[in-house]
Structure formats: C-alpha cells, structure tokens
Amino acid sequence: MLRKIFYILFVCLLASCGSSKKKAAQREPRKITVAAKDTDAPKREPRRVKKTAASKRSKADDIIDTALKFSGVRYKYGGTTKKGMDCSGLLYVAFGENDIKLPRTSYHMAEEGKTIRKGDIEKGDLLFFKTSKRSKRINHVGMVVSVKNNDIKFVHASTSRGVIVSSLREGYWSSAFIKANRIL
C-alpha cells in the first residue's frame, strides 16, 4: 500500500513539472498603430525649440550621466569597474572621468567641498551616511541626481543591489544620513 502511494505521488510530481513554468517573454516588441482621422486641415510644421541658457548641460549633468552608466553593476568592495564597484569607487570614477579628482574613500570625500544644509541640496551634491551602528564614522556616499518637491534622489552602490538610484525619503537612508557637501 505504501508503495502505491509513493508511486502515485511520483507520477503526480513528474506530471506537474512542466506545467508550472512561465511562458517565455515575447521576443519582438509589440507594435501599436493608430490611424489618424483624415481631415482637410492644413498640415503644421513641427515647432522648433530654441536653446536657452537653461537647456545647457552643466558639469553636474555630465558627472550624473557618467555615474548612471554604471546602473545595475554589482557591488564589489574596492571595485571601480563594470565588473563591480563600491559607493566611493562609483563617485571616484564618475568625477574622475569628468576631470575632477576626489579621494578614494567616502570618509575622505566627506572632508572635501563645502557642507550644505539639507534644504539647499542640488543635483551633483554628495550625500554622506553612517550605515553601521558599530562604526563611528561616515562609511557610505551617494550623489544627488534630482531634487523635486523635497524628494532627493541619489545614485550610489548598495551592498545588496549594486549601483541604483534611491530616495532620501526612504526610512533607512533618511535615518543614516549625516551630511551633504557641494564639490562643484
């Protein structure tokens, strides 16, 4: 009797193995077309946008773009390449590729530039954190990529998720925040 039960369970297990697999994602992107209403209205020429002083790229934009090129790169202590990076390595490389020298460690980066208030933070500023309860000094750094409605987004290399963009509103980062410095 016990043999029959094991035999039935074994057959059920084999039969169910292939049924729980997810379908493969569609390989080609979906194409959506919308037919325009045929009217006799005159055709308009596309509007041309004039370049203004506000549309010029700043040094901060260039550094942010360089840092964001590494999005998704895994965390590696002491790393400075696409094979792996740590938080200070990310900023060391991003600033370095834009001809600005920074120290290699977050603790020493915190000694550079001018300390600014949280309400005065702008994109390109560096944010410093103390993420370990045992450590008495700064051990993490990120760079501000945008400030909208008091929501400060920053790029950094997290030990669990690699190079990502996070918000200073997140409880973990808000409680670990120590100070902000302006380098540019």
Side-chain angles (χ1 to χ4, degrees):
M1 180 69 173
L2 194 57
R3 252 188 180 166
K4 285 183 182 180
I5 293 173
F6 282 123
Y7 179 74
I8 292 171
L9 287 174
F10 181 73
V11 171
C12 290
L13 181 67
L14 284 178
S16 68
C17 282
S19 65
S20 65
K21 291 184 181 176
K22 293 181 180 178
K23 293 182 181 178
Q26 192 176 2
R27 299 247 189 275
E28 295 179 26
R30 291 178 22 185
K31 294 180 183 176
I32 299 173
T33 57
V34 178
K37 189 175 179 180
D38 190 20
T39 62
D40 293 331
K43 293 183 179 179
R44 295 181 186 172
E45 289 188 31
R47 265 183 20 184
R48 292 193 174 118
V49 178
K50 294 180 182 178
K51 290 190 175 183
T52 61
S55 66
K56 286 185 179 180
R57 290 186 53 79
S58 67
K59 192 71 159 177
D61 291 320
D62 294 337
I63 296 168
I64 290 167
D65 287 348
T66 303
L68 292 175
K69 281 191 316 188
F70 295 100
S71 288
V73 171
R74 72 180 183 91
Y75 181 87
K76 181 180 179 189
Y77 180 78
T80 57
T81 67
K82 286 211 177 232
K83 289 184 178 182
M85 318 194 109
D86 65 7
C87 59
S88 57
L90 170 67
L91 298 183
Y92 177 79
V93 170
F95 276 82
E97 286 186 14
N98 289 281
D99 302 320
I100 298 174
K101 292 188 181 213
L102 280 181
R104 177 59 186 84
T105 64
S106 55
Y107 179 74
H108 289 109
M109 282 181 190
E111 298 169 348
E112 298 290 315
K114 178 185 173 192
T115 302
I116 54 174
R117 294 181 318 155
K118 195 172 180 180
D120 296 332
I121 291 174
E122 297 175 358
K123 67 180 180 179
D125 292 340
L126 299 185
L127 305 179
F128 296 95
F129 304 88
K130 188 179 82 157
T131 61
S132 172
K133 291 180 182 176
R134 288 184 278 169
S135 176
K136 294 196 189 289
R137 63 186 213 175
I138 289 169
N139 63 351
H140 191 73
V141 62
M143 181 176 55
V144 176
V145 295
S146 71
V147 180
K148 292 179 185 168
N149 301 329
N150 292 327
D151 186 19
I152 300 167
K153 304 269 189 197
F154 62 100
V155 63
H156 64 115
S158 81
T159 55
S160 59
R161 295 172 53 205
V163 178
I164 57 170
V165 174
S166 297
S167 172
L168 196 55
R169 281 188 179 172
E170 295 172 30
Y172 179 79
W173 296 115
S174 179
S175 64
F177 178 74
I178 300 296
K179 70 175 190 167
N181 281 12
R182 182 159 298 146
I183 302 293
L184 304 174

